[in-house]
């Protein structure tokens, strides 16, 4: 009986520490994300562009240094999240196309889609951009309401 209690207590402790670690990692991500946004907000457009180019170059270096197995794991992890988000935005034909791609192809597909959206937004006038942002914000609120029901 005593061994069972000790085993149960150690498993419970392990579970709690794993959950706390997971929450702290999420908290760290949220904190870093908000810090990054604040930092980028204070940059000029030229500084922002240079910063993003440097960041992209670092990512390419990291990918080049990875083994094929590490790359595969990276692409699988990233594209899983990307695919979940994309379900809200892509047509059924595009989603069918995405599901047939490899993880690396999915990664490149989503990066290309993001680049196209960024270019579209950058080509808008400030008034069009604000209207676009408001419409997207309204769509997110509507979809969040639907998910809660």
């Amino acid at each position: 009986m005593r061994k069972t209690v000790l085993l149960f207590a150690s498993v419970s402790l392990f579970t709690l520490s794993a959950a706390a670690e997971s929450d702290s990692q999420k908290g760290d991500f949220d904190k870093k994300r908000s810090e990054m946004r604040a930092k980028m907000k204070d940059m000029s457009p030229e500084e922002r562009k240079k910063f993003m180019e440097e960041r992209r170059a670092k990512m390419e270096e990291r990918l080049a240094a990875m083994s094929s197995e590490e790359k595969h794991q990276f692409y699988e992890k990233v594209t899983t999240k990307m695919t979940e988000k994309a379900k809200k935005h892509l047509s059924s034909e595009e989603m069918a196309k995405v599901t047939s791609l490899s993880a690396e192809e999915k990664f490149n597909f989503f990066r290309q889609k993001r680049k196209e959206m960024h270019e579209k937004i950058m080509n808008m006038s400030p008034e069009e951009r604000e209207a676009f942002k408001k419409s997207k914000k309204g769509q997110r609120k509507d979809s969040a309401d639907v998910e809660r029901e």
Side-chain angles (χ1 to χ4, degrees):
M1 176 73 176
R2 186 173 178 187
K3 288 182 182 179
T4 306
V5 170
L6 287 174
L7 179 63
F8 180 73
S10 61
V11 168
S12 299
L13 182 62
F14 176 74
T15 305
L16 289 173
S17 66
E21 183 178 313
S22 143
D23 287 344
S24 70
Q25 289 174 349
K26 182 173 176 30
D28 291 343
F29 174 78
D30 291 340
K31 181 181 176 186
K32 287 179 183 177
R33 184 176 179 201
S34 63
E35 288 172 356
M36 180 64 69
R37 284 186 176 197
K39 180 180 176 181
M40 291 188 71
K41 194 173 189 177
D42 294 337
M43 293 180 186
S44 70
E46 296 82 19
E47 290 172 326
R48 211 172 298 134
K49 184 176 181 179
K50 181 182 177 191
F51 175 77
M52 292 307 290
E53 287 171 355
E54 289 172 354
R55 194 169 165 174
R56 191 173 295 115
K58 286 179 184 176
M59 174 58 84
E60 295 298 328
E61 287 176 24
R62 283 181 37 211
L63 284 172
M66 289 181 184
S67 69
S68 61
E69 182 61 31
E70 290 172 326
K71 282 182 190 177
H72 180 72
Q73 289 174 348
F74 170 78
Y75 288 133
E76 284 293 327
K77 179 181 176 182
V78 172
T79 57
T80 301
K81 292 178 183 178
M82 291 175 160
T83 304
E84 286 301 313
K85 287 182 178 182
K87 287 179 182 177
K88 298 175 186 174
H89 307 288
L90 296 180
S91 67
S92 56
E93 295 85 28
E94 286 178 309
M95 281 306 297
K97 177 185 174 186
V98 167
T99 55
S100 67
L101 299 174
S102 72
E104 186 173 356
E105 291 170 331
K106 285 179 189 176
F107 180 79
N108 292 325
F109 174 82
F110 289 129
R111 284 182 81 181
Q112 182 62 35
K113 287 297 250 183
R114 186 173 189 277
K115 184 177 180 179
E116 290 170 4
M117 180 59 73
H118 182 263
E119 288 173 3
K120 176 183 174 181
I121 292 170
M122 291 288 97
N123 290 331
M124 293 179 181
S125 70
E127 296 81 22
E128 290 172 324
R129 199 174 299 146
E130 278 304 310
F132 179 78
K133 285 180 184 179
K134 285 181 182 177
S135 73
K136 288 294 183 185
K137 188 175 184 178
Q139 288 174 358
R140 283 195 302 258
K141 280 186 179 180
D142 292 343
S143 66
D145 293 341
V146 169
E147 287 177 7
R148 285 187 206 130
E149 294 175 353

